[in-house]
Amino acid sequence: MTTAANVNDVTQTLALVDGIPPLAGKSGRPRRRPEALLGDKGYDSNPNRRELRRRRILPVISRKGPRTSRAWANSATSSSRPSPSR
């Protein structure tokens, strides 16, 4: 979907989902909706999350705002660190 340069992504989330064509491949009725929607912070919106859940679509969208201390701690411990030289 193409929009003007200064249109926020969040305003087009549901229109984007509505524009997904039926998925072919398996026998039977083609799927009309995805199982999940992956999005960056530009798609973060509680009303959109609620509507996606109502449509039985799992919203996997990054949250806006500062990271919590728990998120910082998890990212610090799970980051890959270079192995020490001999």
Side-chain angles (χ1 to χ4, degrees):
M1 177 172 288
T2 304
T3 61
N6 295 328
V7 174
N8 292 332
D9 293 339
V10 72
T11 64
Q12 301 302 313
T13 305
L14 299 176
L16 179 69
V17 171
D18 292 339
I20 297 172
L23 304 173
K26 295 183 179 179
S27 61
R29 194 172 86 197
R31 291 182 52 87
R32 298 285 309 175
R33 63 178 173 80
E35 291 179 16
L37 176 90
L38 304 166
D40 62 13
K41 293 177 183 182
Y43 293 92
D44 184 28
S45 159
N46 286 332
N48 282 343
R49 287 175 187 275
R50 280 191 296 273
E51 179 61 20
L52 290 168
R53 286 188 189 105
R54 189 187 71 74
R55 296 179 184 198
R56 296 179 296 160
I57 300 171
L58 175 67
V60 182
I61 303 170
S62 298
R63 293 278 185 183
K64 287 183 182 177
R67 295 171 70 179
T68 64
S69 58
R70 180 176 290 164
W72 278 108
N74 288 342
S75 67
T77 58
S78 65
S79 66
S80 59
R81 296 187 178 139
S83 60
S85 333
R86 301 188 226 206

